[in-house]
Amino acid sequence: MLTITRKLEFDAGHRIPDHKSQCRNLHGHRYTLEITLVGDIVREEGSSDNGMIMDFSDVKALAKQHLVDVWDHAFLAYAKDTVVREFLESLPGHKTVIIDSIPTVENLARTAFNILRAAYKDHYGTGLRLHKLVLHETPNCWAEITADE
């Protein structure tokens, strides 16, 4: 299986409301996102993408449009964390993204995977699809999710 991977970074805040330690406090991370795609190589003479699964600049552009620019410098708030949501809503123009699950790195990776899976799905008619997503919360801690194929 031939794959390609593009890495992007973004900054975001969150909290884990019921966590036993410091993660229950408002804090942020420099997240690193690794997007791995699989698909047939484009074979179209004269095409800019000829010989590629997908041009890395297009991988980046779709990721930024659908996820990175949405989450970058936002606070990723759990929908049921009403105290924090009310506080953030009191700040004029604050960038808040509501997540349906507690914003652990595991849940954020699954949410990101679902968003990006739809963005890349068969983009060229070559069977292109999201194979794996890795989300680093810190340099030493991350979650990975792989497509059920």
Side-chain angles (χ1 to χ4, degrees), residues 53-120:
I53 291 174
M54 182 178 220
D55 188 298
F56 285 116
S57 66
D58 294 334
V59 176
K60 178 182 178 180
L62 284 171
K64 285 178 64 59
Q65 175 187 354
H66 293 278
L67 183 81
V68 173
D69 288 349
V70 177
W71 287 12
D72 188 37
H73 283 82
F75 194 89
L76 309 175
Y78 177 36
K80 294 182 180 177
D81 193 353
T82 54
V83 173
V84 166
R85 286 188 61 193
E86 289 171 5
F87 167 69
L88 295 172
E89 289 166 6
S90 75
L91 302 174
H94 189 273
K95 188 175 180 184
T96 304
V97 175
I98 306 302
I99 305 293
D100 289 335
S101 54
I102 297 168
T104 60
V105 71
E106 297 90 341
N107 287 333
L108 293 174
R110 182 176 307 281
T111 300
F113 186 89
N114 290 335
I115 291 167
L116 293 177
R117 176 174 42 195
Y120 292 114

Side-chain angles (χ1 to χ4, degrees), residues 32-36 104-113 131-137 141-148:
T32 302
L33 175 68
E34 296 177 26
I35 300 161
T36 300
T104 60
V105 71
E106 297 90 341
N107 287 333
L108 293 174
R110 182 176 307 281
T111 300
F113 186 89
H131 174 67
K132 182 169 88 169
L133 183 141
V134 180
L135 185 63
H136 293 257
E137 187 172 76
C141 302
W142 63 87
E144 296 183 22
I145 181 168
T146 305
D148 298 327

